[in-house]
């Protein structure tokens, strides 16, 4: 019968090893925290960076948070529209030379889907003038084909007041509210459409109720 072998453990060595590992963990955590602090971009800063590619203005009035009493009704409409939403929309009024640009608004809107996205939609005189991608979960080179001009420009010039909610069709769009899906990117095509429909819904509320 084999005898039990006794292993002598030096408590000091064990403690030393634990301390070394703890120090490594602390240093690593500090380095990662420092990197995150340096590379972190706030939502406001991200918005400023993205929006400059869409429209140039001195500043923007965020109707969700503005303290300007002149836009109290609009603020209430936007916040009511966003109530309970995990991805709230923004409505931004550009300001140039101290004055709000007339009949111009930029929406940051979310499009739900398997490949969701957030868009910036520039609306002038109730018509979509330009759309740019704020963020997306689509696979680069595949699903993101729906963010190219060929697809997005189908919405340009459409009146958000008179138009019906958009519908994605596989080909041969024949109605004003139909847009052709991008081959191989149907899911992201749907997400873009959903985002634009959100912009339409909010725009109609603002124009219809904020007299």
């Amino acid at each position: 019968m084999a005898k039990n072998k006794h292993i002598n453990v030096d408590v000091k060595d064990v403690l030393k090893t634990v301390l070394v590992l703890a120090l490594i963990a602390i240093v690593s955590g500090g380095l990662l925290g420092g990197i995150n602090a340096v590379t972190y971009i706030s939502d406001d800063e991200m918005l400023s960076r993205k929006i400059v590619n869409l429209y140039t203005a001195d500043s923007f009035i965020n109707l969700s948070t503005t303290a300007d009493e002149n836009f109290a009704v609009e603020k209430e409409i936007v916040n009511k529209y966003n109530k309970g939403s995990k991805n709230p929309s923004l409505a931004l009024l550009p300001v140039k030379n101290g004055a709000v640009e007339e009949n111009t608004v930029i929406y940051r809107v979310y499009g739900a889907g398997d490949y969701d996205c957030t868009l910036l939609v520039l609306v002038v005189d109730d018509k979509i003038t330009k759309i740019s991608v704020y963020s997306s979960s689509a696979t680069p080179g595949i699903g993101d084909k729906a963010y190219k001009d060929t697809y997005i420009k189908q919405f340009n010039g459409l009146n958000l007041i008179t138009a019906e909610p958009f519908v994605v069709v596989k080909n041969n769009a024949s109605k004003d509210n139909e847009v052709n899906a991008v081959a191989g990117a149907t899911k992201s095509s749907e997400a873009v459409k959903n985002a634009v429909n959100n912009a339409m819904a909010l725009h109609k509320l603002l124009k219809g109720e904020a007299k």
Side-chain angles (χ1 to χ4, degrees):
M1 183 175 178
K3 294 182 179 180
N4 292 330
K5 293 183 179 180
H6 295 282
I7 300 174
N8 294 321
V9 178
D10 191 324
V11 176
K12 291 183 178 179
D13 288 341
V14 173
L15 290 175
K16 186 184 296 183
T17 301
V18 171
L19 287 173
V20 170
L21 291 174
L23 285 172
I24 291 173
I26 292 171
V27 171
S28 299
L31 287 173
L32 289 174
I35 291 172
N36 288 334
V38 172
T39 59
Y40 172 75
I41 299 176
S42 68
D43 189 54
D44 288 341
E45 185 176 351
M46 177 65 78
L47 182 60
S48 297
R49 291 185 182 186
K50 295 283 187 177
I51 206 168
V52 73
N53 296 321
L54 186 72
Y55 195 85
T56 302
D58 299 330
S59 62
F60 294 89
I61 294 174
N62 185 338
L63 291 181
S64 301
T65 59
T66 182
D68 191 332
E69 290 299 323
N70 292 317
F71 301 103
V73 175
E74 289 87 344
K75 180 178 180 179
E76 182 179 355
I77 291 170
V78 173
N79 289 326
K80 183 178 180 180
Y81 180 81
N82 285 326
K83 188 175 182 180
S85 174
K86 294 181 179 179
N87 301 281
S89 299
L90 297 182
L92 307 164
L93 303 181
V95 177
K96 286 185 178 181
N97 300 318
V100 176
E101 292 279 86
E102 291 187 5
N103 301 316
T104 303
V105 60
I106 296 172
Y107 295 104
R108 190 185 73 177
V109 282
Y110 173 76
D114 291 335
Y115 294 129
D116 59 351
C117 69
T118 300
L119 304 179
L120 292 174
V121 181
L122 172 62
V123 179
V124 180
D125 293 328
D126 298 325
K127 295 180 180 179
I128 295 176
T129 301
K130 188 176 180 180
I131 297 174
S132 67
V133 179
Y134 185 84
S135 64
S136 79
S137 63
T139 305
I142 303 176
D144 66 350
K145 290 188 292 184
Y147 307 131
K148 307 300 180 183
D149 284 347
T150 304
Y151 178 69
I152 286 182
K153 281 188 175 180
Q154 293 183 89
F155 298 98
N156 287 355
L158 295 174
N159 191 306
L160 292 182
I161 297 298
T162 59
E164 294 296 322
F166 295 111
V167 177
V168 173
V169 295
K170 290 187 176 181
N171 50 54
N172 299 322
S174 58
K175 298 179 180 179
D176 290 341
N177 69 322
E178 291 182 342
V179 289
N180 291 315
V182 177
T186 303
K187 293 179 180 178
S188 49
S189 297
E190 285 282 348
V192 169
K193 176 265 296 181
N194 290 337
V196 174
N197 281 343
N198 279 336
M200 179 191 299
L202 183 52
H203 188 71
K204 285 183 176 181
L205 285 175
L206 286 171
K207 296 292 286 191
E209 295 183 29
K211 301 292 186 179

